[in-house]
Amino acid sequence: MAAKPGERKDQILQVLAGMLEEPRAAKITTAALAAKVDVSEAALYRHFASKAQMFDGLIEFIEKTLFSLINKLMTEEKSGIRQVEGIIALLLGFAKKNPGMTRVLIGDALINENDRLQIRVNQLHNRLEATLKQALRFAASEQQIRADLDVSAEANMLMCYVAGRWHQFAKSGFKRDPMEYWEAQRNQIFSSELFTHAVSSNN
């Protein structure tokens, strides 16, 4: 029984994500993708106007998944500091479960592709950083962290930490667990002088 159009599109994206999980994946061509899906290149283009549109589909999946989980976390978690910790753990955990998507998140899979795709990923990073800033501001309003904490600088530092772990994971051929050292590093990050109030109030 033939796959429905929506199902076939999902299948194409799943295969593309799977190809990106190859540690030494070469530039993915539509011919190679079509062969993996077991359809003709012409059939691919009946579902996606271009390869860039396929990557758009992957980025959209990443955005929807991450922000659905983050919004749920921020709704259920009443502690601003716990929100920040949860967001970071969520971002690292997503990479661990989705190696191919991690290559999209760091832009590695987008080299030599349409420049618009990297711009969209950059915008996603900015949204994640803004979400961390929002959680930090909430923590400050709840007096969980010191009032003089520069939340913009802190959110940027935390996002750089996440992106660095993503890069290590991808560049190691997915051997370096992005969650490695997270517990120890979490304690170091949130036990700094600026977070002293939060640590003492949560213990």
Side-chain angles (χ1 to χ4, degrees), residues 61-133:
F61 169 81
I62 293 170
E63 287 177 331
K64 285 185 175 179
T65 302
L66 288 180
F67 283 100
S68 173
L69 293 170
I70 288 171
N71 290 339
K72 183 174 185 291
L73 168 70
M74 295 183 77
T75 299
E76 295 176 352
E77 180 54 71
K78 304 308 179 186
S79 162
I81 288 297
R82 295 294 179 243
Q83 287 180 3
V84 176
E85 292 178 344
I87 291 168
I88 295 172
L90 189 155
L91 295 177
L92 298 178
F94 177 85
K96 183 175 181 177
K97 292 178 182 176
N98 301 278
M101 303 296 185
T102 306
R103 292 189 60 211
V104 175
L105 281 166
I106 67 171
D108 178 58
L110 306 178
I111 296 172
N112 299 321
E113 302 295 344
N114 192 306
D115 291 343
R116 172 180 57 78
L117 296 168
Q118 185 60 63
I119 292 171
R120 186 171 178 185
V121 169
N122 292 345
Q123 290 171 339
L124 171 57
H125 280 237
N126 290 341
R127 282 186 66 194
L128 292 170
E129 186 174 323
T131 304
L132 286 166
K133 189 190 302 184

Side-chain angles (χ1 to χ4, degrees), residues 164-184:
R165 296 316 305 262
W166 286 345
H167 269 88
Q168 276 194 332
F169 181 48
K171 298 304 183 183
S172 70
F174 309 123
K175 291 182 173 63
R176 287 291 299 272
D177 185 345
M179 298 292 290
E180 182 184 23
Y181 306 129
W182 164 238
E183 284 304 317

